[in-house]
Amino acid sequence: MTLSSPTTFRSEKARLRAEALLRRADMGAERRAAASDAAARHALMALGSVAGRTVALFAPFRDEIDTGPLARKLRDAGARLALPVVIGRDRPLIFRLWDENDLLEPAGAYGIPTPGAQAPQVTPDDLMVPLAVFDRAGARIGYGAGFYDRTLALLRREKPIRAFGLAFACQETDHVPAEPHDEPLDGMVTEAGVLFLGGSDADSLSR
């Protein structure tokens, strides 16, 4: 399929997003919980030694993959955790430190749990990135606001970072149409395993 205009790109991305989110919703709560636990184990393997590193997670929204199991594993492994904070519609995200006993505050139009302004702002070393759709080339489709594309572009200009998508295997598609501003992932983690991209690590994500 040839995508020749921004409008066509947006239309195709919207179609792929809607289809993947329907597949995700059809999983059901029990299957999502089991898959979240499995993905957490794979994510810890993908990240390797995290002692002393700052890892940015995300608070799950609706039927997104649950990051709670991974948060517990990362804390046990000595990582500092952070969560994203939206500071403006067309601006990059910032990240605030998330201690285990911190009270998270609903923020934004969707009331997503977020650390309060008293939590220190940090720059992550590793990010687990939410998404709606992904492919095996490392392309992703988010939810349409472009927050992570802007954020990853900024962070990658500042220092070396790693960004792994974290989602369910049913959110994979054959091909995501990429645009110039789209920031690729370094790897993809699902309950099926880990797909490493752009490096020497073997592809270990099963179909």
Side-chain angles (χ1 to χ4, degrees), residues 61-62 85-89 105-114 145 147:
F61 176 64
R62 292 180 179 167
V85 178
V86 175
I87 57 173
R89 178 171 176 78
E105 303 171 358
Y110 300 107
I112 296 174
T114 303
F147 286 118

Side-chain angles (χ1 to χ4, degrees), residues 29-111:
E30 185 174 342
R31 186 179 163 202
R32 278 196 295 272
S36 297
D37 286 339
R41 296 192 296 272
H42 295 310
L44 198 65
M45 182 274 288
L47 290 168
S49 177
V50 293
R53 294 179 69 85
T54 299
V55 182
L57 298 182
F58 55 89
F61 176 64
R62 292 180 179 167
D63 50 16
E64 276 186 327
I65 193 165
D66 184 6
T67 55
L70 178 55
R72 292 189 287 273
K73 291 180 182 298
L74 288 170
R75 285 198 171 99
D76 288 345
R80 298 197 313 164
L81 300 187
L83 289 176
V85 178
V86 175
I87 57 173
R89 178 171 176 78
D90 296 317
R91 299 180 63 185
L93 300 164
I94 65 169
F95 297 88
R96 293 194 181 278
L97 200 61
W98 174 34
D99 288 333
E100 186 173 7
N101 297 319
D102 283 352
L103 180 63
L104 300 179
E105 303 171 358
Y110 300 107

Side-chain angles (χ1 to χ4, degrees), residues 15-29:
R15 181 185 70 81
L16 292 172
R17 182 188 297 115
E19 291 175 353
L21 294 183
L22 280 175
R23 293 194 299 270
R24 190 176 76 183
D26 286 343
M27 289 178 68

Side-chain angles (χ1 to χ4, degrees), residues 54 87 91-95 121-127 149-162 183:
T54 299
I87 57 173
R91 299 180 63 185
L93 300 164
I94 65 169
F95 297 88
Q121 185 174 336
V122 294
T123 301
D125 302 301
D126 306 297
L127 294 88
D149 288 320
R150 286 190 292 273
T151 303
L152 291 175
L154 175 64
L155 292 175
R156 284 167 170 161
R157 289 196 295 269
E158 293 180 352
K159 71 173 191 177
I161 61 163
R162 296 181 300 174
E183 287 288 324

